[in-house]
Amino acid sequence: MAASFSISRLSLSLSSASSISLFPSRATALSSRLSFSSLPLNSSRRISPKPLRFSSSPTSKSTISAALSVGDKLPESTFSFFDAANELQTVTVSDLTKGKKAVFFAVPGAFTPTCSQKHLPGFVEKSAELKAKGVDTIACISVNDAFVMKAWKENLNVNDEVLLLSDGNGDFTRAIGCELDLSDKPVGLGVRSRRYALLAEDGVVKVLNLEEGGAFTFSSAEDILKVL
């Protein structure tokens, strides 16, 4: 009996081995069906990140009327800037406007597209024409620190055509009621200034072209030239 059992078990082992070696395709097919690497992926369910978009269009907060209007005296305030010798200086509204015809224009931010490509370059280009019409001071104001304004000036190769002034804490911007809240934007601009251009004579506002938010429609150098 023992011999018979051993022979039967040996016969079964040989039979199984023969079966595996004779039909390798079955094992391969089974392996393929069980392999995770061969399972199809549903690529349609992959999520691609969307690019961030920034718009300088006005928000509900930016449509509030400014405290400043034509006929008002410009409030006193102090700005900072770097002079030609790279020395940090300060200047007041009175220094810039007393007994003078002055043009102030404000931008929401240095290095931002519209400000860098259109608004500031336009006043640089038309500075000679403005001065020929009696303008003594042309100043660009932004709620940026003086170091950023200096870097922006150098980046755009601005010389003495336009004075780039830092209203770093936004004191002047708040005093004239031109704050622009951009804190909800993904780039984190915080509270800046609405875009505008104004003409003042001896500190009194004669023309005020105040945009809605960061729009750029009637605050260009050409618009100021039209009223001179």
Side-chain angles (χ1 to χ4, degrees):
M1 288 291 292
S4 175
F5 176 76
S6 298
I7 292 171
S8 297
R9 187 167 59 180
L10 178 61
S11 175
L12 178 61
S13 299
L14 291 172
S15 175
S16 299
S18 299
S19 175
I20 293 173
S21 62
L22 288 174
F23 302 102
S25 59
R26 292 183 181 178
T28 302
L30 179 61
S31 174
S32 298
R33 286 198 297 270
L34 294 178
S35 173
F36 285 105
S37 62
S38 64
L39 293 176
L41 295 176
N42 186 358
S43 59
S44 63
R45 299 184 65 181
R46 294 176 183 173
I47 300 174
S48 300
K50 295 181 179 180
L52 295 176
R53 299 182 184 276
F54 169 73
S55 171
S56 61
S57 58
T59 62
S60 58
K61 293 182 181 180
S62 69
T63 59
I64 300 174
S65 298
L68 189 70
S69 60
V70 173
D72 290 345
K73 183 83 171 178
L74 288 172
E76 189 63 288
S77 192
T78 301
F79 305 107
S80 60
F81 69 99
F82 279 91
D83 62 17
N86 282 330
E87 295 291 334
L88 185 61
Q89 305 288 349
T90 59
V91 64
T92 65
V93 171
S94 295
D95 295 332
L96 297 167
T97 62
K98 187 175 181 179
K100 301 174 183 177
K101 185 179 289 186
V103 171
F104 287 179
F105 67 98
V107 297
F111 290 102
T112 54
T114 302
C115 308
S116 297
Q117 298 167 11
K118 297 179 181 180
H119 206 181
L120 175 55
F123 275 94
V124 171
E125 181 183 346
K126 299 294 183 180
S127 60
E129 293 180 48
L130 289 166
K131 290 178 180 179
K133 288 183 174 290
V135 174
D136 301 293
T137 303
I138 307 172
C140 174
I141 300 169
S142 182
V143 183
N144 286 108
D145 63 71
F147 294 91
V148 169
M149 297 297 278
K150 175 179 178 290
W152 192 34
K153 176 181 178 179
E154 293 172 349
N155 181 262
L156 294 180
N157 296 314
V158 178
N159 295 311
D160 59 352
E161 303 95 341
V162 175
L163 186 60
L164 271 65
L165 301 177
S166 164
D167 183 25
N169 293 325
D171 294 337
F172 179 75
T173 299
R174 282 192 299 273
I176 63 174
C178 286
E179 305 100 315
L180 176 63
D181 189 354
L182 297 175
S183 57
D184 62 329
K185 302 300 180 184
V187 291
L189 290 176
V191 178
R192 298 300 183 96
S193 172
R194 290 169 64 180
R195 193 185 306 280
Y196 63 81
L198 66 83
L199 172 67
E201 294 183 14
D202 197 24
V204 177
V205 179
K206 299 298 182 181
V207 176
L208 176 60
N209 293 347
L210 179 63
E211 304 275 10
E212 290 292 344
F216 183 54
T217 57
F218 61 100
S219 59
S220 68
E222 289 84 354
D223 292 308
I224 294 297
L225 279 169
K226 291 175 184 177
V227 299
L228 288 172

